[in-house]
Amino acid sequence: MRRISAALVTATALAALLAACGSGDSGGNTPPVRPPMKVAALGPFTGECGNVTDDEVRDLGGLGQITQTFKNSVGCNWQGGGIDGPTVTFASYRGSPIERERAWVTAQGRNPEAVDVGGHKGFQDTDPQGLICDFAVQLGDDFFEWSTYAGSFGRPSANPCEKNRKLAELTVQRLK
């Protein structure tokens, strides 16, 4: 019987303590534990696939014949030359910090360089073999990225980001 009484007293005290903690009236002017979350302002709309046509991607990206295309609401991918051939990818990131992407490519052993496309800041980076380029452009709280990969049998390029710059320029020119 003593155990039951002790358990009831403990449970009652615990319930009172929890009720006091959850009342919402702290009686003071203590700030909230976390600052309110920032709501990202939407940047300009980049359009489907950066408002660039399949033919423009094929020609500027140097794909030759496009053998596969994938498109959804946030990105597109074009592939030329069959399995593990060259690829071009477009991705749009709403409310996502470009600095996180820059940190990721830096962690991959690349050295991002600052770029400016039509007054919009960003970065470009190339892998050490000259086969991959990521070209990212900031649009307010958003950014978009063009990426190219020369493919397993592709030749390294002295400036693999030149293609992506041309694609990014088209996207910025066509912003809505």
Side-chain angles (χ1 to χ4, degrees):
M1 187 69 142
R2 259 191 161 147
R3 286 186 189 172
I4 294 175
S5 296
L8 284 175
V9 169
T10 302
T12 302
L14 185 58
L17 180 62
L18 289 174
C21 289
S23 69
D25 183 18
S26 63
N29 290 333
T30 58
V33 176
R34 285 189 238 168
M37 292 184 63
K38 178 186 174 205
V39 176
L42 295 179
F45 181 55
T46 59
E48 182 181 72
C49 302
N51 275 322
V52 177
T53 68
D54 291 347
D55 289 339
E56 290 169 325
V57 170
R58 182 194 66 236
D59 295 342
L60 293 173
L63 295 179
Q65 184 65 32
I66 295 175
T67 58
Q68 184 178 13
T69 303
F70 171 80
K71 299 177 182 181
N72 68 23
S73 61
V74 295
C76 302
N77 177 272
W78 298 264
Q79 185 171 352
I83 297 174
D84 209 24
T87 62
V88 175
T89 303
F90 172 82
S92 177
Y93 299 91
R94 289 272 193 195
S96 182
I98 195 172
E99 292 308 315
R100 184 182 317 149
E101 186 73 8
R102 184 188 312 262
W104 183 85
V105 297
T106 301
Q108 304 306 307
R110 301 182 203 164
N111 186 19
E113 301 171 32
V115 297
D116 185 291
V117 178
H120 299 279
K121 303 286 185 215
F123 70 88
Q124 68 179 20
D125 70 89
T126 307
D127 74 320
Q129 293 78 33
L131 297 173
I132 299 171
C133 172
D134 295 316
F135 197 100
V137 177
Q138 184 81 51
L139 300 173
D141 288 333
D142 307 337
F143 76 95
F144 69 84
E145 181 176 59
W146 281 99
S147 296
T148 54
Y149 168 58
S152 292
F153 306 105
R155 292 185 317 217
S157 171
N159 188 356
C161 290
E162 188 176 313
K163 300 171 186 178
N164 290 359
R165 172 173 278 286
K166 291 176 183 174
L167 291 165
E169 287 170 349
L170 287 176
T171 298
V172 168
Q173 290 170 8
R174 298 170 181 172
L175 289 175
K176 296 180 181 184

mmCIF file of all heavy atoms in Angstrom, residues 58-104:
data_model
loop_
_atom_site.group_PDB
_atom_site.id
_atom_site.type_symbol
_atom_site.label_atom_id
_atom_site.label_comp_id
_atom_site.label_asym_id
_atom_site.label_seq_id
_atom_site.Cartn_x
_atom_site.Cartn_y
_atom_site.Cartn_z
ATOM 1 N N ARG A 58 22.231 20.376 -76.726
ATOM 2 C CA ARG A 58 23.016 19.488 -77.592
ATOM 3 C C ARG A 58 24.176 20.239 -78.231
ATOM 4 O O ARG A 58 25.319 19.801 -78.192
ATOM 5 C CB ARG A 58 22.125 18.870 -78.671
ATOM 6 C CG ARG A 58 22.881 17.883 -79.578
ATOM 7 C CD ARG A 58 22.112 17.514 -80.840
ATOM 8 N NE ARG A 58 21.982 18.688 -81.687
ATOM 9 C CZ ARG A 58 20.816 19.180 -82.117
ATOM 10 N NH1 ARG A 58 19.686 18.569 -81.823
ATOM 11 N NH2 ARG A 58 20.771 20.255 -82.866
ATOM 12 N N ASP A 59 23.884 21.410 -78.784
ATOM 13 C CA ASP A 59 24.912 22.173 -79.504
ATOM 14 C C ASP A 59 25.931 22.802 -78.557
ATOM 15 O O ASP A 59 27.143 22.644 -78.748
ATOM 16 C CB ASP A 59 24.263 23.251 -80.362
ATOM 17 C CG ASP A 59 23.392 22.661 -81.474
ATOM 18 O OD1 ASP A 59 23.559 21.454 -81.795
ATOM 19 O OD2 ASP A 59 22.545 23.403 -82.002
ATOM 20 N N LEU A 60 25.463 23.512 -77.528
ATOM 21 C CA LEU A 60 26.379 24.180 -76.599
ATOM 22 C C LEU A 60 27.099 23.187 -75.695
ATOM 23 O O LEU A 60 28.256 23.395 -75.333
ATOM 24 C CB LEU A 60 25.630 25.200 -75.743
ATOM 25 C CG LEU A 60 25.081 26.411 -76.493
ATOM 26 C CD1 LEU A 60 24.221 27.264 -75.567
ATOM 27 C CD2 LEU A 60 26.201 27.231 -77.092
ATOM 28 N N GLY A 61 26.402 22.108 -75.326
ATOM 29 C CA GLY A 61 26.996 21.109 -74.445
ATOM 30 C C GLY A 61 27.894 20.114 -75.153
ATOM 31 O O GLY A 61 28.569 19.316 -74.514
ATOM 32 N N GLY A 62 27.887 20.154 -76.484
ATOM 33 C CA GLY A 62 28.753 19.250 -77.242
ATOM 34 C C GLY A 62 28.361 17.798 -77.124
ATOM 35 O O GLY A 62 29.209 16.915 -77.106
ATOM 36 N N LEU A 63 27.057 17.524 -77.054
ATOM 37 C CA LEU A 63 26.599 16.148 -76.869
ATOM 38 C C LEU A 63 26.490 15.361 -78.166
ATOM 39 O O LEU A 63 26.366 14.150 -78.138
ATOM 40 C CB LEU A 63 25.238 16.127 -76.171
ATOM 41 C CG LEU A 63 25.204 16.650 -74.741
ATOM 42 C CD1 LEU A 63 23.781 16.590 -74.203
ATOM 43 C CD2 LEU A 63 26.132 15.856 -73.855
ATOM 44 N N GLY A 64 26.488 16.031 -79.300
ATOM 45 C CA GLY A 64 26.215 15.302 -80.538
ATOM 46 C C GLY A 64 24.759 14.886 -80.526
ATOM 47 O O GLY A 64 23.880 15.694 -80.265
ATOM 48 N N GLN A 65 24.502 13.627 -80.741
ATOM 49 C CA GLN A 65 23.133 13.105 -80.688
ATOM 50 C C GLN A 65 22.731 12.872 -79.237
ATOM 51 O O GLN A 65 23.458 12.225 -78.486
ATOM 52 C CB GLN A 65 23.040 11.793 -81.474
ATOM 53 C CG GLN A 65 21.658 11.213 -81.558
ATOM 54 C CD GLN A 65 20.701 12.113 -82.347
ATOM 55 O OE1 GLN A 65 21.087 12.807 -83.269
ATOM 56 N NE2 GLN A 65 19.447 12.089 -81.964
ATOM 57 N N ILE A 66 21.589 13.400 -78.829
ATOM 58 C CA ILE A 66 21.088 13.161 -77.470
ATOM 59 C C ILE A 66 20.421 11.792 -77.451
ATOM 60 O O ILE A 66 19.517 11.522 -78.244
ATOM 61 C CB ILE A 66 20.105 14.259 -77.025
ATOM 62 C CG1 ILE A 66 20.824 15.594 -76.923
ATOM 63 C CG2 ILE A 66 19.464 13.899 -75.693
ATOM 64 C CD1 ILE A 66 19.930 16.773 -76.615
ATOM 65 N N THR A 67 20.896 10.922 -76.561
ATOM 66 C CA THR A 67 20.338 9.572 -76.495
ATOM 67 C C THR A 67 19.354 9.394 -75.356
ATOM 68 O O THR A 67 18.587 8.446 -75.360
ATOM 69 C CB THR A 67 21.460 8.526 -76.325
ATOM 70 O OG1 THR A 67 22.206 8.824 -75.146
ATOM 71 C CG2 THR A 67 22.387 8.530 -77.532
ATOM 72 N N GLN A 68 19.378 10.289 -74.381
ATOM 73 C CA GLN A 68 18.465 10.152 -73.250
ATOM 74 C C GLN A 68 18.237 11.520 -72.637
ATOM 75 O O GLN A 68 19.164 12.320 -72.519
ATOM 76 C CB GLN A 68 19.040 9.208 -72.203
ATOM 77 C CG GLN A 68 18.120 8.949 -71.046
ATOM 78 C CD GLN A 68 18.740 7.952 -70.066
ATOM 79 O OE1 GLN A 68 19.905 7.642 -70.115
ATOM 80 N NE2 GLN A 68 17.928 7.464 -69.159
ATOM 81 N N THR A 69 16.993 11.784 -72.237
ATOM 82 C CA THR A 69 16.641 13.033 -71.576
ATOM 83 C C THR A 69 15.750 12.711 -70.394
ATOM 84 O O THR A 69 14.853 11.871 -70.489
ATOM 85 C CB THR A 69 15.878 13.974 -72.537
ATOM 86 O OG1 THR A 69 16.680 14.195 -73.690
ATOM 87 C CG2 THR A 69 15.572 15.297 -71.890
ATOM 88 N N PHE A 70 16.017 13.390 -69.284
ATOM 89 C CA PHE A 70 15.190 13.256 -68.085
ATOM 90 C C PHE A 70 14.791 14.653 -67.649
ATOM 91 O O PHE A 70 15.641 15.537 -67.564
ATOM 92 C CB PHE A 70 15.982 12.568 -66.969
ATOM 93 C CG PHE A 70 15.279 12.582 -65.644
ATOM 94 C CD1 PHE A 70 14.284 11.672 -65.359
ATOM 95 C CD2 PHE A 70 15.600 13.538 -64.688
ATOM 96 C CE1 PHE A 70 13.627 11.692 -64.143
ATOM 97 C CE2 PHE A 70 14.948 13.562 -63.461
ATOM 98 C CZ PHE A 70 13.956 12.645 -63.194
ATOM 99 N N LYS A 71 13.514 14.885 -67.407
ATOM 100 C CA LYS A 71 13.030 16.200 -66.982
ATOM 101 C C LYS A 71 12.018 16.031 -65.857
ATOM 102 O O LYS A 71 11.174 15.148 -65.909
ATOM 103 C CB LYS A 71 12.369 16.937 -68.147
ATOM 104 C CG LYS A 71 13.295 17.207 -69.304
ATOM 105 C CD LYS A 71 12.573 17.881 -70.451
ATOM 106 C CE LYS A 71 13.517 18.084 -71.622
ATOM 107 N NZ LYS A 71 12.877 18.760 -72.745
ATOM 108 N N ASN A 72 12.141 16.899 -64.834
ATOM 109 C CA ASN A 72 11.101 16.992 -63.808
ATOM 110 C C ASN A 72 10.982 18.450 -63.389
ATOM 111 O O ASN A 72 11.581 19.327 -64.016
ATOM 112 C CB ASN A 72 11.363 16.042 -62.630
ATOM 113 C CG ASN A 72 12.566 16.410 -61.806
ATOM 114 O OD1 ASN A 72 13.010 17.568 -61.782
ATOM 115 N ND2 ASN A 72 13.128 15.442 -61.120
ATOM 116 N N SER A 73 10.275 18.741 -62.323
ATOM 117 C CA SER A 73 9.984 20.126 -61.965
ATOM 118 C C SER A 73 11.193 20.914 -61.477
ATOM 119 O O SER A 73 11.156 22.136 -61.455
ATOM 120 C CB SER A 73 8.879 20.168 -60.908
ATOM 121 O OG SER A 73 9.317 19.493 -59.745
ATOM 122 N N VAL A 74 12.262 20.261 -61.080
ATOM 123 C CA VAL A 74 13.428 20.986 -60.557
ATOM 124 C C VAL A 74 14.708 20.739 -61.335
ATOM 125 O O VAL A 74 15.724 21.366 -61.062
ATOM 126 C CB VAL A 74 13.677 20.667 -59.065
ATOM 127 C CG1 VAL A 74 12.540 21.167 -58.209
ATOM 128 C CG2 VAL A 74 13.919 19.193 -58.850
ATOM 129 N N GLY A 75 14.687 19.840 -62.290
ATOM 130 C CA GLY A 75 15.929 19.584 -63.000
ATOM 131 C C GLY A 75 15.743 18.817 -64.281
ATOM 132 O O GLY A 75 14.679 18.269 -64.560
ATOM 133 N N CYS A 76 16.816 18.818 -65.063
ATOM 134 C CA CYS A 76 16.831 18.128 -66.344
ATOM 135 C C CYS A 76 18.208 17.521 -66.558
ATOM 136 O O CYS A 76 19.210 18.058 -66.087
ATOM 137 C CB CYS A 76 16.532 19.100 -67.476
ATOM 138 S SG CYS A 76 14.947 19.949 -67.290
ATOM 139 N N ASN A 77 18.243 16.417 -67.297
ATOM 140 C CA ASN A 77 19.505 15.752 -67.602
ATOM 141 C C ASN A 77 19.454 15.271 -69.037
ATOM 142 O O ASN A 77 18.480 14.658 -69.460
ATOM 143 C CB ASN A 77 19.728 14.577 -66.646
ATOM 144 C CG ASN A 77 20.981 13.810 -66.953
ATOM 145 O OD1 ASN A 77 20.963 12.892 -67.758
ATOM 146 N ND2 ASN A 77 22.072 14.200 -66.324
ATOM 147 N N TRP A 78 20.513 15.570 -69.772
ATOM 148 C CA TRP A 78 20.640 15.124 -71.158
ATOM 149 C C TRP A 78 21.884 14.263 -71.253
ATOM 150 O O TRP A 78 22.913 14.573 -70.659
ATOM 151 C CB TRP A 78 20.804 16.316 -72.094
ATOM 152 C CG TRP A 78 19.657 17.265 -72.118
ATOM 153 C CD1 TRP A 78 18.619 17.279 -73.007
ATOM 154 C CD2 TRP A 78 19.446 18.375 -71.242
ATOM 155 N NE1 TRP A 78 17.769 18.323 -72.732
ATOM 156 C CE2 TRP A 78 18.255 19.011 -71.640
ATOM 157 C CE3 TRP A 78 20.130 18.895 -70.137
ATOM 158 C CZ2 TRP A 78 17.743 20.133 -71.007
ATOM 159 C CZ3 TRP A 78 19.632 20.008 -69.485
ATOM 160 C CH2 TRP A 78 18.450 20.615 -69.921
ATOM 161 N N GLN A 79 21.797 13.186 -72.021
ATOM 162 C CA GLN A 79 22.950 12.297 -72.186
ATOM 163 C C GLN A 79 23.177 12.064 -73.673
ATOM 164 O O GLN A 79 22.241 11.880 -74.432
ATOM 165 C CB GLN A 79 22.715 10.969 -71.483
ATOM 166 C CG GLN A 79 23.920 10.052 -71.526
ATOM 167 C CD GLN A 79 23.737 8.828 -70.637
ATOM 168 O OE1 GLN A 79 22.787 8.730 -69.882
ATOM 169 N NE2 GLN A 79 24.646 7.902 -70.739
ATOM 170 N N GLY A 80 24.430 12.056 -74.046
ATOM 171 C CA GLY A 80 24.801 11.789 -75.433
ATOM 172 C C GLY A 80 25.781 10.640 -75.484
ATOM 173 O O GLY A 80 26.507 10.377 -74.534
ATOM 174 N N GLY A 81 25.798 9.917 -76.564
ATOM 175 C CA GLY A 81 26.805 8.880 -76.760
ATOM 176 C C GLY A 81 26.593 7.590 -76.003
ATOM 177 O O GLY A 81 27.534 6.822 -75.847
ATOM 178 N N GLY A 82 25.403 7.303 -75.540
ATOM 179 C CA GLY A 82 25.131 6.019 -74.895
ATOM 180 C C GLY A 82 25.572 5.938 -73.448
ATOM 181 O O GLY A 82 25.764 6.948 -72.780
ATOM 182 N N ILE A 83 25.760 4.711 -72.977
ATOM 183 C CA ILE A 83 26.090 4.468 -71.574
ATOM 184 C C ILE A 83 27.402 5.153 -71.210
ATOM 185 O O ILE A 83 28.402 5.008 -71.898
ATOM 186 C CB ILE A 83 26.187 2.950 -71.290
ATOM 187 C CG1 ILE A 83 24.822 2.307 -71.527
ATOM 188 C CG2 ILE A 83 26.677 2.688 -69.877
ATOM 189 C CD1 ILE A 83 24.822 0.808 -71.415
ATOM 190 N N ASP A 84 27.372 5.881 -70.125
ATOM 191 C CA ASP A 84 28.500 6.627 -69.585
ATOM 192 C C ASP A 84 29.110 7.598 -70.588
ATOM 193 O O ASP A 84 30.311 7.866 -70.583
ATOM 194 C CB ASP A 84 29.571 5.694 -69.008
ATOM 195 C CG ASP A 84 30.334 6.384 -67.874
ATOM 196 O OD1 ASP A 84 29.775 7.314 -67.264
ATOM 197 O OD2 ASP A 84 31.485 6.001 -67.630
ATOM 198 N N GLY A 85 28.246 8.115 -71.467
ATOM 199 C CA GLY A 85 28.675 9.150 -72.399
ATOM 200 C C GLY A 85 28.616 10.506 -71.720
ATOM 201 O O GLY A 85 28.353 10.618 -70.515
ATOM 202 N N PRO A 86 28.833 11.557 -72.456
ATOM 203 C CA PRO A 86 28.793 12.896 -71.879
ATOM 204 C C PRO A 86 27.380 13.248 -71.406
ATOM 205 O O PRO A 86 26.394 12.784 -71.981
ATOM 206 C CB PRO A 86 29.241 13.799 -73.032
ATOM 207 C CG PRO A 86 28.973 13.014 -74.263
ATOM 208 C CD PRO A 86 29.118 11.576 -73.890
ATOM 209 N N THR A 87 27.305 14.054 -70.366
ATOM 210 C CA THR A 87 26.015 14.476 -69.829
ATOM 211 C C THR A 87 26.028 15.971 -69.539
ATOM 212 O O THR A 87 27.067 16.562 -69.260
ATOM 213 C CB THR A 87 25.637 13.747 -68.522
ATOM 214 O OG1 THR A 87 26.602 14.052 -67.528
ATOM 215 C CG2 THR A 87 25.531 12.256 -68.732
ATOM 216 N N VAL A 88 24.841 16.557 -69.593
ATOM 217 C CA VAL A 88 24.604 17.933 -69.181
ATOM 218 C C VAL A 88 23.400 17.887 -68.242
ATOM 219 O O VAL A 88 22.396 17.238 -68.550
ATOM 220 C CB VAL A 88 24.314 18.857 -70.389
ATOM 221 C CG1 VAL A 88 23.939 20.260 -69.914
ATOM 222 C CG2 VAL A 88 25.509 18.915 -71.327
ATOM 223 N N THR A 89 23.524 18.562 -67.094
ATOM 224 C CA THR A 89 22.454 18.567 -66.104
ATOM 225 C C THR A 89 22.147 19.994 -65.676
ATOM 226 O O THR A 89 23.061 20.796 -65.474
ATOM 227 C CB THR A 89 22.866 17.753 -64.862
ATOM 228 O OG1 THR A 89 23.192 16.427 -65.270
ATOM 229 C CG2 THR A 89 21.751 17.696 -63.837
ATOM 230 N N PHE A 90 20.854 20.291 -65.556
ATOM 231 C CA PHE A 90 20.399 21.564 -65.006
ATOM 232 C C PHE A 90 19.617 21.260 -63.744
ATOM 233 O O PHE A 90 18.806 20.336 -63.711
ATOM 234 C CB PHE A 90 19.476 22.308 -65.991
ATOM 235 C CG PHE A 90 18.835 23.522 -65.372
ATOM 236 C CD1 PHE A 90 19.530 24.717 -65.304
ATOM 237 C CD2 PHE A 90 17.564 23.451 -64.827
ATOM 238 C CE1 PHE A 90 18.953 25.836 -64.701
ATOM 239 C CE2 PHE A 90 16.984 24.558 -64.228
ATOM 240 C CZ PHE A 90 17.678 25.756 -64.167
ATOM 241 N N ALA A 91 19.844 22.052 -62.686
ATOM 242 C CA ALA A 91 19.068 21.909 -61.443
ATOM 243 C C ALA A 91 18.789 23.289 -60.874
ATOM 244 O O ALA A 91 19.643 24.174 -60.904
ATOM 245 C CB ALA A 91 19.836 21.071 -60.428
ATOM 246 N N SER A 92 17.570 23.462 -60.370
ATOM 247 C CA SER A 92 17.155 24.713 -59.738
ATOM 248 C C SER A 92 16.883 24.434 -58.270
ATOM 249 O O SER A 92 16.193 23.469 -57.934
ATOM 250 C CB SER A 92 15.881 25.224 -60.423
ATOM 251 O OG SER A 92 15.424 26.393 -59.785
ATOM 252 N N TYR A 93 17.429 25.262 -57.390
ATOM 253 C CA TYR A 93 17.309 25.073 -55.944
ATOM 254 C C TYR A 93 16.613 26.277 -55.329
ATOM 255 O O TYR A 93 17.180 27.355 -55.245
ATOM 256 C CB TYR A 93 18.691 24.899 -55.307
ATOM 257 C CG TYR A 93 19.438 23.704 -55.832
ATOM 258 C CD1 TYR A 93 20.287 23.812 -56.928
ATOM 259 C CD2 TYR A 93 19.294 22.459 -55.237
ATOM 260 C CE1 TYR A 93 20.977 22.713 -57.413
ATOM 261 C CE2 TYR A 93 19.971 21.347 -55.717
ATOM 262 C CZ TYR A 93 20.811 21.494 -56.807
ATOM 263 O OH TYR A 93 21.492 20.398 -57.290
ATOM 264 N N ARG A 94 15.361 26.102 -54.912
ATOM 265 C CA ARG A 94 14.579 27.162 -54.276
ATOM 266 C C ARG A 94 14.884 27.197 -52.784
ATOM 267 O O ARG A 94 14.801 26.184 -52.099
ATOM 268 C CB ARG A 94 13.076 26.922 -54.466
ATOM 269 C CG ARG A 94 12.604 27.128 -55.877
ATOM 270 C CD ARG A 94 12.249 28.558 -56.062
ATOM 271 N NE ARG A 94 11.514 28.767 -57.303
ATOM 272 C CZ ARG A 94 11.362 29.967 -57.805
ATOM 273 N NH1 ARG A 94 11.829 31.015 -57.188
ATOM 274 N NH2 ARG A 94 10.711 30.120 -58.924
ATOM 275 N N GLY A 95 15.241 28.376 -52.276
ATOM 276 C CA GLY A 95 15.454 28.558 -50.839
ATOM 277 C C GLY A 95 16.621 27.774 -50.290
ATOM 278 O O GLY A 95 16.653 27.459 -49.104
ATOM 279 N N SER A 96 17.561 27.437 -51.108
ATOM 280 C CA SER A 96 18.710 26.648 -50.686
ATOM 281 C C SER A 96 19.966 27.500 -50.823
ATOM 282 O O SER A 96 20.159 28.155 -51.842
ATOM 283 C CB SER A 96 18.817 25.400 -51.556
ATOM 284 O OG SER A 96 19.883 24.597 -51.140
ATOM 285 N N PRO A 97 20.820 27.495 -49.822
ATOM 286 C CA PRO A 97 22.011 28.351 -49.892
ATOM 287 C C PRO A 97 23.065 27.823 -50.859
ATOM 288 O O PRO A 97 23.466 26.666 -50.789
ATOM 289 C CB PRO A 97 22.532 28.350 -48.455
ATOM 290 C CG PRO A 97 22.005 27.098 -47.843
ATOM 291 C CD PRO A 97 20.710 26.794 -48.542
ATOM 292 N N ILE A 98 23.511 28.693 -51.742
ATOM 293 C CA ILE A 98 24.554 28.330 -52.702
ATOM 294 C C ILE A 98 25.855 27.996 -51.982
ATOM 295 O O ILE A 98 26.654 27.203 -52.469
ATOM 296 C CB ILE A 98 24.754 29.455 -53.746
ATOM 297 C CG1 ILE A 98 25.551 28.942 -54.950
ATOM 298 C CG2 ILE A 98 25.400 30.677 -53.109
ATOM 299 C CD1 ILE A 98 25.623 29.930 -56.102
ATOM 300 N N GLU A 99 26.046 28.574 -50.788
ATOM 301 C CA GLU A 99 27.289 28.316 -50.049
ATOM 302 C C GLU A 99 27.399 26.853 -49.622
ATOM 303 O O GLU A 99 28.492 26.328 -49.472
ATOM 304 C CB GLU A 99 27.418 29.259 -48.856
ATOM 305 C CG GLU A 99 27.633 30.711 -49.264
ATOM 306 C CD GLU A 99 28.787 30.907 -50.245
ATOM 307 O OE1 GLU A 99 29.874 30.327 -50.042
ATOM 308 O OE2 GLU A 99 28.602 31.656 -51.229
ATOM 309 N N ARG A 100 26.277 26.191 -49.410
ATOM 310 C CA ARG A 100 26.313 24.760 -49.091
ATOM 311 C C ARG A 100 26.854 23.972 -50.281
ATOM 312 O O ARG A 100 27.645 23.053 -50.130
ATOM 313 C CB ARG A 100 24.918 24.259 -48.721
ATOM 314 C CG ARG A 100 24.911 22.805 -48.286
ATOM 315 C CD ARG A 100 23.529 22.272 -47.954
ATOM 316 N NE ARG A 100 22.748 23.207 -47.187
ATOM 317 C CZ ARG A 100 21.412 23.305 -47.252
ATOM 318 N NH1 ARG A 100 20.732 22.511 -48.039
ATOM 319 N NH2 ARG A 100 20.762 24.158 -46.518
ATOM 320 N N GLU A 101 26.447 24.359 -51.479
ATOM 321 C CA GLU A 101 26.947 23.703 -52.696
ATOM 322 C C GLU A 101 28.432 23.987 -52.880
ATOM 323 O O GLU A 101 29.209 23.108 -53.225
ATOM 324 C CB GLU A 101 26.154 24.188 -53.918
ATOM 325 C CG GLU A 101 26.489 23.474 -55.190
ATOM 326 C CD GLU A 101 25.962 22.055 -55.259
ATOM 327 O OE1 GLU A 101 25.183 21.638 -54.380
ATOM 328 O OE2 GLU A 101 26.333 21.342 -56.212
ATOM 329 N N ARG A 102 28.825 25.226 -52.628
ATOM 330 C CA ARG A 102 30.240 25.593 -52.732
ATOM 331 C C ARG A 102 31.070 24.775 -51.742
ATOM 332 O O ARG A 102 32.156 24.293 -52.072
ATOM 333 C CB ARG A 102 30.440 27.087 -52.475
ATOM 334 C CG ARG A 102 31.881 27.542 -52.675
ATOM 335 C CD ARG A 102 32.095 28.988 -52.230
ATOM 336 N NE ARG A 102 31.125 29.926 -52.720
ATOM 337 C CZ ARG A 102 31.292 30.720 -53.778
ATOM 338 N NH1 ARG A 102 32.417 30.680 -54.458
ATOM 339 N NH2 ARG A 102 30.348 31.559 -54.138
ATOM 340 N N ALA A 103 30.571 24.601 -50.524
ATOM 341 C CA ALA A 103 31.279 23.799 -49.517
ATOM 342 C C ALA A 103 31.398 22.345 -49.965
ATOM 343 O O ALA A 103 32.435 21.699 -49.755
ATOM 344 C CB ALA A 103 30.571 23.886 -48.172
ATOM 345 N N TRP A 104 30.344 21.822 -50.602
ATOM 346 C CA TRP A 104 30.380 20.429 -51.065
ATOM 347 C C TRP A 104 31.458 20.244 -52.134
ATOM 348 O O TRP A 104 32.237 19.300 -52.066
ATOM 349 C CB TRP A 104 29.018 19.999 -51.602
ATOM 350 C CG TRP A 104 29.004 18.566 -52.019
ATOM 351 C CD1 TRP A 104 28.784 17.488 -51.213
ATOM 352 C CD2 TRP A 104 29.261 18.043 -53.319
ATOM 353 N NE1 TRP A 104 28.883 16.325 -51.953
ATOM 354 C CE2 TRP A 104 29.176 16.641 -53.247
ATOM 355 C CE3 TRP A 104 29.545 18.623 -54.547
ATOM 356 C CZ2 TRP A 104 29.364 15.816 -54.343
ATOM 357 C CZ3 TRP A 104 29.739 17.801 -55.654
ATOM 358 C CH2 TRP A 104 29.642 16.413 -55.536
#
